Amino acid sequence: MSMDMTTVGDPGLLDTLQHEVAVFARRAEQTRLGGVGQVRNTMDRAAYLLLNRLDKEGPMGVKALAASMGIDSSTVTRQVAPLVDSGLVKRTSHPEDGRAVVLQLSPRGAARLEEVRSSRRALMAELTHDWAPEEREEFCTLLTRFNRALSARTVQAVPSVEQPPAS
């Protein structure tokens, strides 16, 4: 079912929402929401997201990591190479298929990730110091919902390899 989204809700509110999302994206990129102190801006977004995913989901192959992040395998391979070179991620053989490679967060990577998380938590605390706990929770809920909607839309917008794009 197709819906003309410009007629859903208050156009002024939707204009404000799209503007604030654009400002947020710009400011987030400017600061990389990188935290406070010495750790600020010392890990790029791609590295943080990859390390975080490996930490939360455990060791996995490149294809599984790419699928769980909604990106292609070549992007993961390119992004993970410097993490392996710097010792934050280890490449190991798959326990059941020695030919397959599994990516795993190294102890150094886990320590570095926690350092960055701690710095970013401090930034979030600073930015929301005057918010009530319920406001922080509601913001997290809504931002998560918004990100999931964006993710679902992105998945729907990417044509399948088997299906040619509609003309």
Side-chain angles (χ1 to χ4, degrees):
M1 177 172 90
S2 180
M3 186 181 297
D4 180 4
M5 297 309 276
T6 60
T7 62
V8 176
D10 176 359
L13 183 60
L14 294 174
D15 285 346
T16 300
L17 178 59
Q18 68 80 23
H19 176 77
E20 291 301 326
V21 167
V23 170
F24 172 77
R26 183 183 67 221
R27 295 236 165 89
E29 193 56 36
Q30 286 171 341
T31 65
R32 290 196 225 161
L33 293 179
V36 295
Q38 289 182 303
V39 179
R40 188 173 192 274
N41 288 333
T42 59
M43 182 179 288
D44 70 32
R45 181 182 64 241
Y48 177 77
L49 292 172
L50 283 166
L51 294 177
N52 198 54
R53 184 65 57 138
L54 289 172
D55 182 51
K56 295 221 183 284
E57 295 185 21
M60 65 180 76
V62 170
K63 283 185 180 183
L65 184 57
S68 74
M69 295 184 70
I71 57 179
D72 62 72
S73 296
S74 63
T75 300
V76 168
T77 300
R78 186 179 69 252
Q79 290 176 349
V80 90
L83 301 175
V84 171
D85 292 344
S86 64
L88 301 177
V89 171
K90 295 189 305 186
R91 281 191 179 115
T92 59
S93 296
H94 191 283
E96 296 164 11
D97 179 0
R99 299 168 297 168
V101 173
V102 174
L103 301 170
Q104 178 177 353
L105 192 62
S106 72
R108 182 174 179 217
R112 181 74 180 104
L113 180 59
E114 183 48 39
E115 182 181 42
V116 171
R117 279 181 180 155
S118 177
S119 175
R120 289 179 178 196
R121 275 192 300 272
L123 177 62
M124 293 300 109
E126 178 185 313
L127 294 174
T128 63
H129 76 278
D130 59 347
W131 294 21
E134 301 80 25
E135 290 175 311
R136 286 180 178 170
E137 190 172 322
E138 182 68 11
F139 184 70
C140 286
T141 299
L142 292 172
L143 191 55
T144 299
R145 184 176 171 191
F146 186 80
N147 281 329
R148 285 186 179 143
L150 274 175
S151 182
R153 186 177 191 285
T154 301
V155 168
Q156 292 171 356
V158 176
S160 169
V161 174
E162 291 84 25
Q163 298 174 352
S167 41

